[in-house]
Amino acid sequence: MKDDSQERKPRMRYVRYAVFSLAALLVLSLGFAVIPGEQPAPAPPTFTDQARAAALEDALALRAAGLDLATPGAGDGVAGHPAQAVVTLLTLQARAFLPAGSPASPSARPSTSPGPSATTHPTASGSPAPAAAPNAVDLARALAASGSRRLKDAQEADGGMARLLAGAGTAQLLAARQLAAAAGEPGAVTGAAADQADAAAGSGQQAGSAPTPLPADCPFAAPGTTTAPLGATPGASPASGSLSADGAAGKTVEAGTAGAALAAVLQAEQKAAYGYQAAMPRLAAEDAVPASEFLRQHRAVAEETEYRLRLVCQAPRPQPAGYALDAEFLSAPATGLGTLEAAALPVYGDLVALTEGTDRVWALSMLESAVARTARWGADPGPVPGVVLDAAGLPALPAGS
C-alpha cells in the first residue's frame, strides 16, 4: 500500500512553484507600471512666445541702463528726469510682458545688466542695450532699436500679443525721440517715421473719387437700418469731456472681427476730423499748422478705411451731420484734441489685433501716427498705447530683474 504523504509531496511542490511564479509575475508587472515612461520632448516655443520673451529681455536690459543714467553723477550731464521717465515706462512694459502666473515679488535693481541676446529673438537684435551708465543718446538709440524690433515682431505675432508688442514698440520709439531731444540731439534717433499716414493711405482710392462699389459676391448691397451709438466701439470708450456722438444708421457688424475694427476706426476718424474742424479757428497760431496737417491725415485715413471696409463686404455707415461739442473742448481746443486722440488709441489696438498681413502693417502705421498726434497735443498715450492697461493688476518684477 502506497504512502499518501509521498504522493502529495510532488503535488505540493508544483503548487509552490505556481504560487511563486505568480507572485514574481505580479511584482514585475507592478514594477513596470510604476516606472515612468520616457517623457516627450517639449514643443518648441512659438514665434509669439519668442517675441514676448525677447521683448521682456530688452525691456529689462534697457531699464537697467536707464537706472544707471538716472543715478546722480552718471551719464554726461543730462538731467535724470528724462531717463527716469524711460525707466518708469520700461518697468511697466516689462511687467506687462511677464508670463501669466508670474509670482509677484518686489523688484530689485541688478548689479550688472547684460544686453539683450539675439539668439532667442525673432527679429535679429542689431543694437543691444548699453550695459552700464550709458549717455542719453546711446540709450535713446538702443531704445529706438528695441521699439523697431517690437513693431517688426508685431507683424507676425498672434493677435493679443501683437497688440501688446505694437503698443510697447510705439511707446519706446516716442520715448527715444523725447530722450534724444532732451539730450540736445533730436536727430540721433532714426526709425519708423511718426507721420506714416500718406504711405498707409496710398493703397486705397484717390481723394474725391467715386466710392468703391461692393464686391459682386457680397451678401448685401447697402447698409441696414440698425441704429447704434457711434461712440460704442469695441474695447474703447468715448473721449470723456470732449465729444459725444449723436448716432448713425448702419449695418451692425459682428464684434471681434476685422470688419468691426475697421468700422470703429472709421467712426473714430470721422469724429476726429469733425473735432479738428471745430478746433482750428480757436487754436493758437503755432498750433494751427500741425492741426491742419492732422486734419488732412484723418480725412485720408477715413477714405482708406472706407475702401478697406468695402473690400471685406462692409458698407460704411453714413457720416453724421455733426457731433455735440462741450464747453470744455471749445475753451481749451488743444487739450481737447489730445484727449480725443488718446481716447481713440484702443480702437487702433483692436485693428492691430484683429488683422494680419498687409492689413496689420497698415494698422501698425495708424497706431504710430495716432500716438505721435496724441503726444503733440501734450496728452499721455500711456505705457502701451492701444492697450487699456491696469497697472495695479500687473505682476511685479521678480527679485534681481
Side-chain angles (χ1 to χ4, degrees):
M1 188 177 205
K2 293 183 180 180
D3 190 354
D4 291 340
S5 62
Q6 291 181 354
E7 290 183 357
R8 273 196 227 101
K9 285 182 180 179
R11 261 184 275 164
M12 291 300 297
R13 189 178 305 119
Y14 295 142
V15 171
R16 291 194 193 98
Y17 289 158
V19 171
F20 290 150
S21 298
L22 288 174
L25 181 62
L26 179 62
V27 171
L28 287 175
S29 62
L30 290 175
F32 286 127
V34 298
I35 295 175
E38 184 178 352
Q39 296 296 325
T46 64
F47 180 92
T48 297
D49 292 335
Q50 293 181 60
R52 181 204 59 76
L56 174 60
E57 186 179 2
D58 280 7
L60 291 174
L62 289 165
R63 174 179 175 270
L67 283 168
D68 289 333
L69 184 62
T71 301
D76 54 1
V78 178
H81 177 68
Q84 187 57 52
V86 170
V87 170
T88 301
L89 170 72
L90 293 170
T91 299
L92 288 172
Q93 290 187 356
R95 292 171 61 192
F97 281 116
L98 285 173
S102 297
S105 58
S107 60
R109 178 182 174 184
S111 57
T112 60
S113 171
S117 170
T119 57
T120 61
H121 210 300
T123 302
S125 174
S127 300
N135 58 49
V137 175
D138 288 341
L139 179 59
R141 288 174 177 151
L143 189 60
S146 173
S148 296
R149 290 194 293 271
R150 304 290 82 77
L151 290 174
K152 182 68 174 176
D153 291 344
Q155 296 179 16
E156 299 183 42
D158 294 340
M161 184 54 62
R163 183 207 307 258
L164 187 60
L165 290 167
T170 303
Q172 288 178 10
L173 286 174
L174 176 63
R177 288 191 286 266
Q178 293 173 340
L179 184 60
E185 296 188 38
V189 171
T190 59
D195 179 8
Q196 300 188 39
D198 288 335
S203 61
Q205 64 188 69
Q206 298 298 317
S209 62
T212 303
L214 290 166
D217 58 349
C218 284
F220 60 90
T225 57
T226 302
T227 302
L230 193 60
T233 58
S237 58
S240 176
S242 55
L243 295 177
S244 60
D246 294 331
K251 181 181 184 297
T252 301
V253 295
E254 183 179 353
T257 64
L262 285 168
V265 168
L266 178 58
Q267 294 169 19
E269 295 297 336
Q270 292 172 343
K271 183 192 297 186
Y274 186 89
Y276 273 90
Q277 286 178 304
M280 290 270 296
R282 298 172 173 83
L283 290 170
E286 63 271 16
D287 293 332
V289 173
S292 177
E293 173 59 22
F294 294 161
L295 173 59
R296 185 193 65 79
Q297 291 179 19
H298 282 296
R299 286 172 170 168
V301 175
E303 289 187 2
E304 171 72 6
T305 306
E306 287 189 9
Y307 170 78
R308 291 174 180 269
L309 269 171
R310 293 179 184 277
L311 290 181
V312 295
C313 295
Q314 296 292 344
R317 293 180 177 180
Q319 183 172 356
Y323 301 84
L325 299 172
D326 58 25
E328 184 178 352
F329 183 92
L330 298 175
S331 62
T335 302
L337 290 175
T339 303
L340 180 64
E341 295 281 11
L345 293 177
V347 176
Y348 299 106
D350 285 345
L351 189 63
V352 171
L354 295 171
T355 53
E356 55 186 21
T358 57
D359 289 333
R360 180 176 287 178
V361 174
W362 176 73
L364 290 168
S365 68
M366 292 301 96
L367 176 62
E368 190 178 355
S369 295
V371 168
R373 292 191 298 266
T374 301
R376 169 58 182 80
W377 298 120
D380 181 13
V384 187
V387 177
V388 181
L389 197 65
D390 180 15
L394 295 176
L397 294 179
S401 299

